[in-house]
Structure formats: structure tokens, C-alpha cells
């Protein structure tokens, strides 16, 4: 049991709390599922990019999946070796590509023909060869939320199979490109195995047809997306996930690369916020808390469900309330029609599953400083990002202020 009251008292609210032991257990379970094969778990650091969290995974031997050069720098700074870092994303600019090649990361995940040309041209300027992987869009419906679905031709990600094949041939013929991997990532919060299996089969077939023309890849990058329980969803067991993927690779000797984000961190994290007021407009009851959409955007952005626990001495009958923050938007809520007992000022609400796509999607909207972040390891708690002050928020503008 985490003593949220004591943590809120010591560090203030709103507050992010991350349980490192939980993250370790998730990492180990997934790593174990792929045993018997060479595998790299490349933590998708956009899920939770706090340096101390990334370092925690670095110490466990994790690699990093990055979607900007900023994330590549973060991964390196946190101690992830370059040879375990990959760089994905549909819109890498020249400077990002250059730095990735100079830093000699494991490979760049290329997402279009035009990008392949840029990578080749920049590698040539640098007089180096760049390791690449191509992101294939297998046109599979992952059966998840449309905003986090990425593996359909309607989505902006990756290239179709014929294009991928053409690109591999171009890469093989280029002195400056070294095609080492193949990548797919069909979406996030996947709770069904069948789409993953189908996508892996399509991509494995492409690997075989490339072998036939003498293009030998080393890495089979299956993306991330493993779903977690926010409520009572049925989720995929890591063992079954690994078996489904490995089952498509008969007679192929490839290192598995897997890019989980949410699976590793979401349920290790809690967002703790304090009750300010209760109010009622007509029949509608609201609980106003000190956290807001600028701290945790998922309910506003995706209408995402998060379990919310009240820490209060009241134990009356729950009523249905909307839990809302102070930001001036009707979309600023954590839950609607959520059953909670009557609350007093300064009671705490703990929003669960907040360890992924929580803090990182935060903003300073309404000139609100971002929350503090702490991690816990057993009974030890440690600050890993201090609360932002007003001075932090204005420092990049102040020097430009004219009389
Ligand atoms: C976002 C993303 C991930 C991680 O997704 P999760 O759902 O958090 O596991 C992995 N790979 C790529 C390319 C991504 O864009």
C-alpha cells in the first residue's frame, strides 16, 4: 500500500507517483517471454520520459525507442547505450537525421521513400553508412481507439509492402544505407492478439521475399502497443504475445525488438490531486480538484477512462459526480458520472494508470506549472522532478519583454 496522504503532505499536490518495482516486474515479464531468442526491449520513452525513469530501465538492460532527437539525447543521458537506441517517427528533419547518424544509434526507422533519400544524402555528406529499418504499414485494424491506431493505410505511419520492398532494394544498392531491420507498430492499447499475429505474418513473409533477393535483415521490430488494464479489460499475456510473434518466424534467425511504453509504466503511476470544492449546478454534482487537463490530458483527449480512488474519512453512499479541474475549458475533466462518496476539502483523489502518457502530455496551459514527479522503491520515496515555479514558466519570455 502506498501512503498517498504522507506523500501528498511531503511533496504537495498535484503529484505524480511512480512505483519502480512495478516497472521492473513488467520489464522482466516481457523480457522473459522472449527467452530462447535474442531480444531487445526498447522502452518507448515517450510514454514516460523522466530521466530517472529512463535510467531505471537503462539499468535493467533496456534499449530505447525514440521519436525525436530530444528523446535520443534523453536516452543517452540516462545511460542507454547508442547501440540499443532506435529512432522512429514520420517527420524527422535533417538535423535530427544527421545527429542520429553521428551518434551511431542502432538504426533509424524510415517511414517514407522521401525520408530514405534524405537519410542516404545526409549519410553521404557525413561519409558514413547509416543503419536503417523500414516501418511497414501492414494495413491491419488493431481494434483500438482510432486516435491510437497506426497500422491502417488510412494512418500516416509507415509504407505499404510494395513500397517497402522497393525501398529495401534501393537501400541495398546504396553505399550509404545498411538495411538491418524491419518494423511495424499497428497501434496502442492492443488487447487482441489476432491483429498482431496477422501483422507479424505479413511482415515475416516480406522478410522471406527479401531473403530470396539476398537482403538479410537482423532485427524484427514488432513495435509496442501491448494493452494494459485501465478498468477490467481482458489483456494479452506477454507469454502469449511472444509466442504469437515467434510463431511467425519459423526458420528466420532474427533478433526481436519490442517497443513497449504503456505496458511498462502505465500501471506503475498514480496522479494524486486534492479536492478543492464540491459544487452543484442544477442536478449535476461536481468535485473540483487542484489537478487539471494540463497535468493529465488523456480523459480530455481520448475520453480515456482512469480508475479514481478517493482517500477520505467519509464513507457515505457514493453519488455520481464529474471530477473537474480549474482550467477554463469544459473539456477539463478526469471523469464524468463517477461514483464517489461526499468529499471534504483537502481529501485526495488518486487517479490510477497514470504512469504512461500522463506527465509527458502535460502543458503549461493557463500558466499552470507542471506537477512534481516522485518515484518510490519499496518504502523509499524520492523526488525526480521538482514542481515548476512561476519563474520557470516565464523565463524564456522575460528577456524579450519590451517597455
Ligand atoms: C508510441 C509508440 C510505441 C509505444 O506504444 P505503447 O502503446 O505505449 O506501447 C512504440 N513504438 C512506436 C513507433 C510508437 O510510436
Amino acid at each position: 500500500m502506498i501512503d498517498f496522504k504522507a506523500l501528498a503532505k511531503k511533496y504537495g499536490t498535484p503529484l505524480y507517483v511512480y512505483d519502480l518495482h512495478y516497472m521492473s516486474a513488467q520489464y522482466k515479464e516481457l523480457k522473459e517471454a522472449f527467452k530462447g531468442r535474442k531480444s531487445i526491449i526498447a522502452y518507448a520513452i515517450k510514454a514516460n520520459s523522466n530521466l530517472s525513469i529512463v535510467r531505471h530501465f537503462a539499468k535493467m538492460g533496456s534499449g530505447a525507442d525514440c521519436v525525436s532527437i530530444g528523446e535520443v539525447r534523453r536516452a543517452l543521458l540516462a545511460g542507454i547505450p547508442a547501440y540499443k537506441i532506435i529512432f522512429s517517427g514520420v517527420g524527422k528533419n535533417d538535423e535530427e537525421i544527421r545527429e542520429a547518424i553521428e551518434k551511431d544509434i542502432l538504426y533509424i526507422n524510415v517511414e517514407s521513400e522521401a525520408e530514405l533519400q534524405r537519410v542516404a544524402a545526409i549519410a553521404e555528406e557525413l561519409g558514413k553508412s547509416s543503419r536503417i529499418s523500414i516501418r511497414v504499414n501492414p494495413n491491419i485494424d488493431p481494434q483500438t481507439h482510432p486516435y491510437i491506431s497506426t497500422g491502417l493505410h488510412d494512418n500516416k505511419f509507415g509504407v505499404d509492402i510494395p513500397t517497402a520492398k522497393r525501398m529495401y532494394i534501393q537501400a541495398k544498392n546504396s553505399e550509404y544505407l545498411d538495411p538491418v531491420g524491419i518494423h511495424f507498430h499497428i497501434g496502442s492499447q492492443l488487447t487482441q492478439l489476432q491483429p498482431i499475429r496477422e501483422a507479424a505474418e505479413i511482415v515475416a513473409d516480406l522478410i522471406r521475399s527479401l531473403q530470396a533477393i539476398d537482403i538479410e535483415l537482423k532485427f524484427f521490430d514488432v513495435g509496442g502497443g501491448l494493452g494494459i488494464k485501465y478498468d477490467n479489460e481482458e489483456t494479452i499475456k506477454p507469454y502469449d504475445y511472444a509466442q504469437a510473434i515467434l510463431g511467425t518466424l519459423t526458420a528466420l534467425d532474427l533478433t526481436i525488438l519490442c517497443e513497449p511504453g504503456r505496458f511498462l509504466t502505465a500501471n506503475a503511476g498514480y496522479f494524486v490531486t486534492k479536492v478543492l470544492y464540491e459544487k452543484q449546478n442544477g442536478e449535476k454534482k461536481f468535485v473540483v480538484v487542484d489537478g487539471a487537463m494540463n497535468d493529465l490530458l488523456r480523459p480530455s483527449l481520448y475520453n480515456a477512462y482512469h480508475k479514481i480512488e478517493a482517500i477520505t474519512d467519509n464513507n457515505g453512499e457514493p453519488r455520481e459526480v464529474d471530477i473537474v479541474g480549474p482550467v477554463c475549458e469544459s473539456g477539463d475533466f478526469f471523469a464524468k458520472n463517477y461514483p464517489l462518496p461526499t468529499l471534504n476539502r483537502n481529501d485526495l483523489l488518486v487517479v490510477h494508470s497514470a504512469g504512461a502518457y500522463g506527465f509527458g502530455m502535460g502543458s503549461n496551459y493557463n500558466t499552470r506549472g507542471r506537477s512534481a514527479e516522485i518515484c518510490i522503491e519499496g518504502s523509499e520515496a524520492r523526488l525526480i522532478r521538482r514542481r515548476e515555479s512561476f519563474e520557470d514558466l516565464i523565463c524564456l519570455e522575460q528577456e524579450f519583454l519590451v517597455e
Side-chain angles (χ1 to χ4, degrees), residues 18 20 23 43 48 50-57 265 384:
Y18 309 123
L20 295 184
M23 292 186 192
Y43 169 48
N48 185 329
N50 183 291
L51 283 173
S52 298
I53 300 300
V54 183
R55 171 151 301 170
H56 181 69
F57 286 113
T265 62
I384 57 174

Side-chain angles (χ1 to χ4, degrees), residues 125-138:
E125 275 168 37
L126 294 172
K128 287 179 84 164
S129 162
S130 174
R131 281 181 299 275
I132 58 128
S133 155
I134 291 169
R135 177 162 181 179
V136 176
N137 182 325

Side-chain angles (χ1 to χ4, degrees), residues 4 22 51 81 129 141 175 181 207 238 294 304 314 334 352 370 394:
F4 289 109
Y22 186 93
L51 283 173
S129 162
D141 183 353
E175 215 182 310
I207 297 175
N294 77 296
N314 296 350
F334 292 124
H352 288 234
R370 270 174 272 234
I394 58 163

Side-chain angles (χ1 to χ4, degrees), residues 348-398:
L348 296 177
L349 293 183
V350 179
V351 182
H352 288 234
S353 313
Y357 308 106
F359 183 90
M361 280 190 177
S363 74
N364 293 126
Y365 189 42
N366 281 207
T367 304
R368 289 171 51 88
R370 270 174 272 234
S371 322
E373 294 178 288
I374 67 167
C375 68
I376 53 173
E377 263 187 301
S379 57
E380 302 276 309
R382 178 158 69 82
L383 188 66
I384 57 174
R385 194 182 203 271
R386 69 163 168 79
R387 186 174 303 286
E388 284 178 349
S389 66
F390 175 68
E391 286 66 34
D392 291 328
L393 302 195
I394 58 163
C395 67
L396 302 178
E397 302 156 42
Q398 204 167 20

